[in-house]
Amino acid sequence: MAEAEAKVLPEATVARLTHYLRALNALEAQGLERTSSGVLAKEAGVNPAILRKDLSWLGSYGTRGVGYVVRELAEHINNTLGLNRDWRVLILGAGNLGRALSGYAGFAIRGFKVQAILDVDPAMIGSRVGQLQVEDSRDLASVVEREEINIAVLAVPGQAAQDLIYELSDLGVNSVLSFAPKPLVVPRGMNVRRVDLSTELQILAYLAVQS
Amino acid sequence: MAEAEAKVLPEATVARLTHYLRALNALEAQGLERTSSGVLAKEAGVNPAILRKDLSWLGSYGTRGVGYVVRELAEHINNTLGLNRDWRVLILGAGNLGRALSGYAGFAIRGFKVQAILDVDPAMIGSRVGQLQVEDSRDLASVVEREEINIAVLAVPGQAAQDLIYELSDLGVNSVLSFAPKPLVVPRGMNVRRVDLSTELQILAYLAVQS
DNA sequence: GGCTGTGAACTCATTCACAGCT
DNA sequence: AGCTGTGAATGAGTTCACAGCC
């Protein structure tokens, strides 16, 4: 029953949809009511053909010869991405990164709310981070239940991240954003996205050497 | 002369090479001198076939029937990625994220050194961040020269990031890691990698809805 | 005439499967 | 016999190019 279903949209398409959303918001802020794949693609930094192909996954929301209605299209993408409801986020790890993430403007996107932040370090527990107070990692289960957490962010070292993935899975938190430098073994049914800063820097080093 | 040359390795391969490096270090720490594509692939979280294909780009460093010498292979990947020298990093933006990044353990990878951190906000300038003092963004050119910066990290809002890209390009800093939520227009010859936290969260929301 | 929606062509990346060396 | 290195097969993702509708 609670089995993970097949993904409907290619992941690359989903990533671009978020860019179209931002672009549509920018156009709306400029007072535009209608737009075309050319204009929108430019604003989103992609090529118009793939934009149209991406949108075609959602159905026909444009008008041939005319274009798209900005607000209508934005609304439709919002619904498709599941952004028409609230997501309650838990941050694990109250070090530099965890603290920064809990305050980071990018997390203040409509619909995402950081509900709690946990750490294992007794010296850290109880300290303030923005509106929140750092809680004890050992209370993970009760915090998840109390705050009805949907999404966890792992800002902890590699091995701790791997251990937490299993705990979170058991607690029914199936969506995780991990900053651990190590690729994690992911339990069935769980969705994990990784942001790997050290890999990004190393890729830049390689590219710099090439040029 | 200073034209960017064609990339030699596929970008996906470069990204995985960094994982092999980490995996090799882990194996070496366990005291292993030799390994095989199967063992290494498992540690790195990839399939053995693509690991061998990736390594074949670097030449033949394994022995058929035997495997790879851990230290030798690690050294070779290091050289290929340009990690056998120092990279001097500048952080632009001393907000939550910029400060966290300058202290983040992931940045302490051998060879990457944060040399300076800048901000536009007068209230921020002069404050301490770890070993560093926040300097004035208007001094960008002189800081880049003084610290011989190779890599810049953009931890500033969208439009500021776009403006800075051009300035950095003019100053000869051709490698940039951007945390701005907006895809940037990249001047010729410049290498930009993006980390987009809001996109990652939105993708997680989508995946959560699917499952 | 203009712009969408989409099949077909193409490019890029991964996996398979096996020849070749030790 | 065992494990690498790699051509061939497959799959995923992007771009092209145009038919179809306004």
Side-chain angles (χ1 to χ4, degrees):
Chain A
M1 200 163 296
E3 281 301 308
E5 277 156 36
K7 279 177 245 174
V8 194
L9 311 186
E11 204 144 300
T13 293
V14 176
R16 282 190 300 267
L17 286 176
T18 70
H19 298 155
Y20 305 155
L21 251 192
R22 197 183 11 64
L24 285 165
N25 289 338
L27 294 179
E28 192 172 3
Q30 287 166 38
L32 292 179
E33 284 182 18
R34 296 156 169 284
T35 190
S36 66
S37 63
V39 171
L40 185 54
K42 184 157 186 219
E43 180 70 30
V46 301
N47 131 344
I50 197 133
L51 183 147
R52 292 199 302 276
K53 179 143 288 189
D54 285 339
L55 295 184
S56 78
W57 285 93
L58 317 189
S60 272
Y61 281 81
T63 310
R64 291 172 194 232
V66 180
Y68 303 90
V69 176
V70 171
R71 181 184 294 268
E72 184 182 306
L73 182 57
E75 195 55 35
H76 195 58
I77 295 177
N78 242 289
N79 294 344
T80 304
L81 293 179
L83 302 178
N84 51 355
R85 70 204 237 5
D86 275 358
W87 295 94
R88 288 176 298 280
V89 177
L90 167 67
I91 297 189
L92 290 158
N96 277 324
L97 190 60
R99 298 174 100 90
L101 291 173
S102 81
Y104 182 55
F107 273 55
I109 327 155
R110 201 179 76 206
F112 292 88
K113 181 100 192 295
V114 176
Q115 299 283 9
I117 178 166
L118 308 188
D119 203 290
V120 285
D121 180 357
M124 203 75 97
I125 295 165
S127 67
R128 275 219 154 293
V129 175
Q131 309 288 313
L132 302 170
Q133 218 164 12
V134 178
E135 297 180 67
D136 191 327
S137 291
R138 285 173 297 188
D139 299 334
L140 178 62
S142 61
V143 170
V144 164
E145 189 178 11
R146 184 189 78 215
E147 303 292 347
E148 301 179 58
I149 297 300
N150 315 112
I151 295 179
V153 175
L154 294 176
V156 299
Q159 189 51 50
Q162 182 66 72
D163 298 342
L164 284 167
I165 285 270
Y166 294 115
E167 283 192 61
L168 289 165
S169 177
D170 290 344
L171 294 170
V173 178
N174 293 318
S175 297
V176 172
L177 179 56
S178 168
F179 286 82
K182 180 176 167 163
L184 302 171
V185 179
V186 178
R188 194 173 183 68
M190 196 158 210
N191 304 124
V192 176
R193 301 279 307 178
R194 289 187 58 218
V195 170
D196 187 337
L197 301 177
S198 62
T199 287
E200 294 300 333
L201 278 182
Q202 292 177 18
I203 293 173
L204 281 174
Y206 170 75
L207 294 173
V209 168
Q210 291 314 300
S211 46
Chain B
M1 201 160 297
E3 281 300 308
E5 276 156 38
K7 277 178 247 175
V8 194
L9 311 186
E11 204 142 300
T13 293
V14 175
R16 282 189 300 266
L17 286 176
T18 70
H19 298 155
Y20 305 155
L21 252 192
R22 198 184 10 67
L24 285 165
N25 289 338
L27 294 180
E28 192 171 2
Q30 287 166 38
L32 292 179
E33 283 182 20
R34 296 155 169 285
T35 190
S36 66
S37 62
V39 172
L40 186 54
K42 185 158 186 219
E43 180 70 32
V46 303
N47 131 344
I50 196 134
L51 183 148
R52 292 199 302 276
K53 178 142 289 190
D54 285 338
L55 295 184
S56 78
W57 284 94
L58 317 189
S60 273
Y61 281 82
T63 308
R64 290 171 195 232
V66 180
Y68 303 91
V69 176
V70 171
R71 180 184 294 270
E72 183 183 307
L73 183 57
E75 195 55 33
H76 195 58
I77 295 176
N78 242 288
N79 294 343
T80 304
L81 293 180
L83 302 178
N84 51 354
R85 72 205 238 0
D86 274 359
W87 295 94
R88 287 175 299 280
V89 177
L90 168 67
I91 296 187
L92 291 157
N96 276 325
L97 189 61
R99 297 174 101 90
L101 292 174
S102 79
Y104 182 55
F107 272 56
I109 327 155
R110 201 179 77 205
F112 293 89
K113 179 99 194 296
V114 177
Q115 299 284 8
I117 178 165
L118 308 188
D119 204 290
V120 286
D121 180 357
M124 204 74 100
I125 295 166
S127 68
R128 275 219 154 293
V129 176
Q131 309 289 311
L132 301 170
Q133 219 165 11
V134 178
E135 298 180 65
D136 191 328
S137 290
R138 284 172 299 187
D139 299 334
L140 178 62
S142 61
V143 171
V144 164
E145 189 178 11
R146 184 188 78 214
E147 303 291 347
E148 302 179 55
I149 297 300
N150 315 113
I151 295 179
V153 175
L154 294 176
V156 299
Q159 189 51 52
Q162 182 66 72
D163 298 342
L164 283 167
I165 285 270
Y166 294 115
E167 283 192 63
L168 288 165
S169 177
D170 290 345
L171 294 170
V173 178
N174 293 318
S175 297
V176 172
L177 180 57
S178 169
F179 287 82
K182 179 177 168 164
L184 302 171
V185 178
V186 178
R188 195 175 182 66
M190 197 159 207
N191 304 123
V192 177
R193 301 281 305 179
R194 291 186 56 216
V195 171
D196 187 337
L197 303 176
S198 61
T199 288
E200 295 300 333
L201 279 182
Q202 292 178 14
I203 293 173
L204 281 174
Y206 171 75
L207 294 173
V209 168
Q210 292 314 299
S211 47

